[in-house]
Amino acid sequence: MNTDLLVGVIALLGAFVGAAAAFAGVVYQQRHQARLVREERRDVLAERAVDTLIMELEKVRFYVGTWPDDAMTPERAVNLSGHIAELRLAALRVPHEELRESIEAACILAFGNEPSFRESIKFREKRLLMQSMCHEAQRCLGAYLRQEPLPQTELLGRAHSFVRSMYTIPDI
């Protein structure tokens, strides 16, 4: 085979390999960049959700603190359920599974407004229980934002366990 022809074929193969490597590099870089953008967007949405949770929890704490007595009226129930709906929707965006599930459990139990939960933990005062659960949730959300370990919680932990037991199918 002619040396000039061999050199030309090798040069052509080298160009193909170089073009393929450049193309693969561009594709990899674009995918990597797209993944970083998705992760950044998810983090921003999660941070907004945590901010919403903290504010809604504060609204619930304030609202419960302004009740003239411990009775749940229909108007209070509607107002509370509106806040709880906001909390449940915002909690869906929290990437931390334990935190998300604890807040969901607190929402299911209406932050201690559920009579069976109060009865199971032997807690009589509805208002104090609701305010305490909101406070514990806020502490956990603050620790999450600061990227600290979640603090130990008494009421949220019990609520999480209680809800988990509600949804467990007994062995037959």
Side-chain angles (χ1 to χ4, degrees):
M1 184 180 259
N2 189 351
T3 325
D4 293 337
L5 184 59
L6 185 60
V7 169
V9 169
I10 291 173
L12 187 60
L13 287 174
F16 280 137
V17 168
F23 180 73
V26 168
V27 169
Y28 172 77
Q29 184 178 12
Q30 285 178 340
R31 287 185 178 174
H32 180 70
Q33 190 67 26
R35 183 174 48 84
L36 289 177
V37 167
R38 277 193 312 272
E39 288 174 2
E40 183 178 324
R41 184 173 186 277
R42 186 193 70 222
D43 291 344
V44 166
L45 290 173
E47 191 172 316
R48 279 191 211 150
V50 170
D51 289 343
T52 300
L53 286 167
I54 291 171
M55 291 304 298
E56 284 297 318
L57 286 165
E58 189 58 33
K59 288 176 186 176
V60 170
R61 276 179 61 182
F62 177 78
Y63 179 66
V64 170
T66 60
W67 288 358
D69 55 21
D70 220 18
M72 178 61 77
T73 64
E75 298 85 26
R76 291 179 189 154
V78 167
N79 196 337
L80 182 62
S81 66
H83 289 298
I84 288 174
E86 289 288 326
L87 288 164
R88 289 182 87 169
L89 290 173
L92 293 172
R93 288 239 184 240
V94 176
H96 193 283
E97 183 179 10
E98 180 185 350
L99 182 57
R100 182 179 59 245
E101 288 179 359
S102 293
I103 291 173
E104 176 67 19
C107 288
I108 289 170
L109 300 172
F111 288 89
N113 191 43
E114 174 67 37
S116 60
F117 177 64
R118 282 196 322 274
E119 186 64 35
S120 79
I121 64 171
K122 309 288 190 268
F123 209 106
R124 296 286 177 239
E125 191 179 343
K126 184 187 313 184
R127 183 185 318 188
L128 181 59
L129 177 60
M130 293 174 77
Q131 288 177 323
S132 298
M133 286 182 77
C134 289
H135 176 70
E136 283 187 358
Q138 286 177 318
R139 281 184 34 233
C140 290
L141 290 164
Y144 171 76
L145 282 176
R146 293 186 301 273
Q147 297 179 349
E148 297 173 355
L150 296 183
Q152 294 294 327
T153 60
E154 176 70 24
L155 299 172
L156 277 182
R158 285 182 166 190
H160 194 195
S161 298
F162 186 81
V163 168
R164 197 178 291 150
S165 72
M166 285 173 42
Y167 292 121
T168 302
I169 299 173
D171 294 332
I172 298 176

